[in-house]
Amino acid sequence: MQKFSFNRRLVIIIVCLIVSFALMTVSVTIRNKKSTPPLIQQFGNDIVGLTDRVVALPANGLSGSVSAISELLNTYQENQQLKKQVSELAQTKVRDQTLAKENKQLKQQIKLNDSLTDYTAISAAVITRTPSSWQNQVVINKGSSAGVVKNMPVMSGSGLVGRVAEVNKTNSKVELITDNNDSANRFAVSITTKAGKTVNGVLSGYKSATGQIVMDNLTTKSKISKGDKVVTSGLGGVTPKGLFVGTVAKSVGSDYGLSTKLYITPATDLSDLNIVTVAVTKQ
């Protein structure tokens, strides 16, 4: 009985194998002959393809988003680096321009100091200049400890820019030749004309629009030409004689060609004072 059951199972297995091989053979033969797969196979393929697309779509989107964010971060970092480089280049350019300007002013000051043979030069830097009193005064970093005394003339560039009005231990206040205050102690100046005559007067004002100093109270009505040199006269005993102030730019209020008021172009650009020299008269 058991032997019969075993034989039966063996026969069933062999029959199943034969049927499977037969179905596989028939399926391959049909697929090779037809241009399209069977309906069931098409359905299975569609399901697999749809599943692939559903899975691939978010995966591709996530990959693209990550790539876009990465590129955006790289662009931002590069932009920040470029901004830093531009800022550094701008700072370097400004620093170079400032150094070149200071170097030029120092050379002019050295030349001026060498020309002051009758004086001992005390070089100083302008440390304060307020907008409210821009054309009236500056504060320098030298005081009584450096030998600065009140009323000493202050030079810069090619000529006189003011005189010491107040002295402290380590700094001093300088009254500029462009001071417009009525209480200011006026600078006495003189001009030697081409005819050899001396015309005395005082600096009485400043025209900020043109950058020129006004000279009036002329002692004589001599003919004065454009370009005539203006120097300190020494009258009044406050400022030494012979310090260069500027040149005549034009004259106004003339009577028969004789000037009554003059406009002077300063020897130095007083709007840009950084380094000055206090001139101490040699004893």
Side-chain angles (χ1 to χ4, degrees):
M1 187 69 180
Q2 292 180 350
K3 185 176 180 180
F4 177 77
S5 177
F6 174 78
N7 292 334
R8 184 180 178 182
R9 291 178 182 175
L10 180 61
V11 170
I12 292 172
I13 292 172
I14 293 172
V15 170
C16 289
L17 290 173
I18 293 172
V19 171
S20 298
F21 281 120
L23 290 174
M24 292 174 62
T25 303
V26 171
S27 175
V28 170
T29 303
I30 294 173
R31 185 181 64 183
N32 291 336
K33 290 182 178 180
K34 292 185 176 181
S35 60
T36 58
L39 182 62
I40 296 176
Q41 187 175 351
Q42 290 182 25
F43 180 75
N45 292 339
D46 291 339
I47 294 297
V48 172
L50 179 62
T51 304
D52 288 341
R53 286 195 295 272
V54 171
V55 173
L57 183 62
N60 293 336
L62 179 61
S63 176
S65 299
V66 171
S67 177
I69 292 173
S70 177
E71 291 179 0
L72 182 61
L73 289 174
N74 290 336
T75 303
Y76 175 77
Q77 292 174 352
E78 291 176 358
N79 187 41
Q80 293 299 110
Q81 291 176 351
L82 289 173
K83 284 183 177 180
K84 184 178 179 181
Q85 292 176 358
V86 170
S87 177
E88 290 175 351
L89 288 173
Q91 292 175 3
T92 301
K93 183 178 180 180
V94 171
R95 184 170 61 251
D96 290 344
Q97 290 176 342
T98 302
L99 290 174
K101 182 178 178 181
E102 290 179 352
N103 186 45
K104 182 179 179 180
Q105 291 176 339
L106 285 171
K107 288 182 178 179
Q108 291 176 342
Q109 212 63 25
I110 291 173
K111 184 178 180 180
L112 173 65
N113 293 349
D114 291 341
S115 68
L116 297 173
T117 55
D118 296 330
Y119 300 89
T120 299
I122 302 175
S123 296
V126 175
I127 56 175
T128 304
R129 191 174 190 181
T130 59
S132 60
S133 58
W134 188 264
Q135 68 185 42
N136 298 333
Q137 64 184 28
V138 297
V139 177
I140 60 176
N141 66 345
K142 293 295 175 66
S144 58
S145 60
V148 178
V149 178
K150 184 177 180 180
N151 290 328
M152 282 183 172
V154 179
M155 315 284 290
S156 182
S158 302
L160 182 75
V161 296
R163 59 169 162 245
V164 178
E166 182 182 303
V167 181
N168 301 303
K169 187 71 174 176
T170 59
N171 60 72
S172 301
K173 185 182 294 183
V174 177
E175 179 185 41
L176 300 177
I177 58 176
T178 53
D179 193 345
N180 269 335
N181 290 330
D182 294 334
S183 60
N185 190 1
R186 300 303 180 187
F187 289 82
V189 294
S190 65
I191 300 172
T192 301
T193 67
K194 290 180 173 60
K197 292 184 178 181
T198 300
V199 179
N200 293 306
V202 295
L203 302 181
S204 59
Y206 176 69
K207 299 296 181 182
S208 57
T210 60
Q212 295 173 337
I213 307 169
V214 179
M215 176 183 173
D216 59 11
N217 294 336
L218 305 183
T219 54
T220 59
K221 292 186 177 180
S222 299
K223 186 174 181 179
I224 299 173
S225 303
K226 180 179 179 180
D228 284 347
K229 291 185 177 181
V230 182
V231 299
T232 54
S233 64
L235 300 178
V238 178
T239 305
K241 181 180 180 180
L243 298 176
F244 184 46
V245 175
T247 56
V248 175
K250 68 175 182 178
S251 60
V252 295
S254 59
D255 295 329
Y256 305 103
L258 305 178
S259 303
T260 58
K261 180 182 287 188
L262 303 174
Y263 286 91
I264 311 299
T265 300
T268 301
D269 182 7
L270 284 94
S271 65
D272 186 27
L273 289 178
N274 294 297
I275 303 169
V276 298
T277 294
V278 180
V280 182
T281 305
K282 292 182 180 179
Q283 301 296 330

